[in-house]
Amino acid sequence: MSPVAVGRLTSNGVALRTGQDALGELASLDAASATPELLRARMADEGYFLARGLLAAEPVASARHAVLQELRRRGTLAPDAPAEEARPNGRLAGKRVMPELGALPEVRALLREAPLVDTFARLLGGTPRMLDHVWLRMVPPGHSTTPHCDIVYMGRGTHRLCTAWIALADVPRTSGALMLLERSHLIESLRERYWNLDVDRDRLWGRIRFRHWKVVSEGKYSHNPHGVQREFGRRWLTTDFRAGDVLVFSPFVMHASLDNVSDRVRVTVDARWQLAAEPADERWIGEHPPGHGRPPGRECPPGRG
């Protein structure tokens, strides 16, 4: 499906340009059979690769079922609709990150699937490890993800860190699909004025800034995806994701999401991978990772995709 075919697209409530010079399609590759050289070249050149159907249907469905049943138990899904439809009620407001759901056995089993682990072993060139904290995300209708780079939230360990963004169900553009700013990991101007920030060290939680005609706080770069595009002159890349797709990208890639204009919650998983032999950011490892020290139940922003 071409970007133009879906009609008007918005992100953070801002209308996006949909011409070929402004919006493009994420490119996929067969990650399961790709050579290490191809995976590394794609990451170096493009900052990402999209592995369509990398994870099998059964473990994906099992993880999704476990998450939705837990949401139903917590009373955050509409009681008059099947849990599998992921229809929210008023108790699931705003973007929510529930790391405790990332610890569900079915979710952890999915993240141990051989195709995923083997892909990172080939990409990184050694034994991979996943950060212990797993980000389980619910994006209700009417919400989206703010443009940002992950490095400002998790840059205290190795910078050879990769995000695996996993669709537990189909995520078309209308459900808040993730989008990446094309080759943004190569934008040198971001190095000194954004990538070197640490959201905790620099106490960004309470700092208010102004960029692209909007107020911005925390580790976000901007609330205006159109302004980001105008600043850097690069396209946003997105696609219609299917259950089991895995999008792997660099912590230096600027990313955001389209607005979820469906009537269902977007449920996705973020997991971060690195070489086991390299240092890990202490905020995201251990049996009970300290994270940013946010109160329980509050949103945990890294990779707010």
Side-chain angles (χ1 to χ4, degrees):
M1 180 184 296
S2 70
V4 178
V6 299
R8 185 175 184 269
L9 295 174
T10 62
S11 173
N12 290 253
V14 176
L16 299 179
R17 293 174 55 221
T18 55
Q20 292 185 354
D21 64 332
L23 192 66
E25 186 83 7
L26 288 165
S28 60
L29 59 74
D30 184 0
S33 61
T35 64
E37 292 75 19
L38 176 58
L39 295 176
R40 293 168 197 163
R42 180 67 68 87
M43 289 294 288
D45 295 341
E46 304 298 332
Y48 81 93
F49 59 84
L50 172 58
R52 293 280 192 191
L54 182 65
L55 294 170
E58 184 175 348
V60 171
S62 177
R64 173 178 167 80
H65 177 77
V67 169
L68 293 178
Q69 288 300 318
E70 181 60 20
L71 291 179
R72 165 61 59 83
R73 188 187 70 80
R74 296 180 180 209
T76 56
L77 296 182
D80 57 347
E84 292 300 319
E85 292 186 3
R87 298 183 187 275
N89 62 18
R91 295 185 61 186
L92 190 62
K95 299 187 295 294
R96 296 292 300 274
V97 179
M98 296 182 177
E100 66 275 20
L101 299 192
L104 289 171
E106 295 85 353
V107 174
R108 293 292 173 159
L110 177 67
L111 297 174
R112 291 194 296 268
E113 286 286 300
L116 185 64
V117 178
D118 291 348
T119 294
F120 282 105
R122 282 180 284 118
L123 171 63
L124 296 169
T127 301
R129 72 162 293 173
M130 184 180 71
L131 296 185
D132 298 314
H133 186 106
V134 171
W135 289 259
L136 201 296
R137 304 184 182 279
M138 278 63 64
V139 181
H143 292 270
S144 57
T145 299
T146 305
H148 68 283
C149 296
D150 288 348
I151 194 64
V152 302
Y153 296 103
M154 50 188 67
R156 295 183 185 177
T158 178
H159 286 182
R160 295 183 63 204
L161 190 69
C162 300
T163 290
W165 185 90
I166 301 169
L168 294 188
D170 292 350
V171 183
R173 292 173 172 88
T174 53
S175 292
L178 205 67
M179 58 184 195
L180 310 183
L181 191 66
E182 189 171 30
R183 305 187 78 191
S184 51
H185 67 303
L186 302 177
I187 299 176
E188 282 297 322
S189 63
L190 290 173
R191 186 175 303 279
E192 293 300 324
R193 58 191 180 95
Y194 183 58
W195 291 340
N196 66 339
L197 295 175
D198 181 301
V199 69
D200 297 309
R201 181 199 65 208
D202 299 321
R203 301 182 180 181
L204 298 183
W205 300 110
R207 288 176 55 186
I208 302 298
R209 306 180 300 284
F210 193 73
R211 182 177 283 124
H212 303 139
W213 315 287
K214 290 179 177 287
V215 171
V216 64
S217 62
E218 301 174 2
K220 307 165 188 173
Y221 186 76
S222 171
H223 275 286
N224 188 340
H226 179 60
V228 172
Q229 186 175 68
R230 288 186 59 182
E231 178 181 357
F232 297 114
R234 300 185 183 229
R235 299 185 301 170
W236 286 109
L237 305 178
T238 189
T239 193
D240 294 311
F241 295 92
R242 298 186 292 270
D245 288 351
V246 180
L247 180 62
V248 177
F249 55 93
S250 160
F252 297 99
V253 168
M254 186 81 68
H255 55 287
S257 80
L258 295 167
D259 290 330
N260 182 358
V261 296
S262 74
D263 60 354
R264 305 188 180 199
V265 179
R266 194 204 82 186
V267 183
T268 56
V269 176
D270 295 356
R272 269 72 188 198
W273 291 81
Q274 64 172 77
L275 276 175
E278 294 185 342
D281 191 321
E282 73 279 0
R283 291 169 290 185
W284 310 112
I285 58 174
E287 185 176 356
H288 300 290
H292 298 297
R294 307 284 277 176
R298 292 288 299 278
E299 183 172 341
C300 194
R304 302 168 76 111

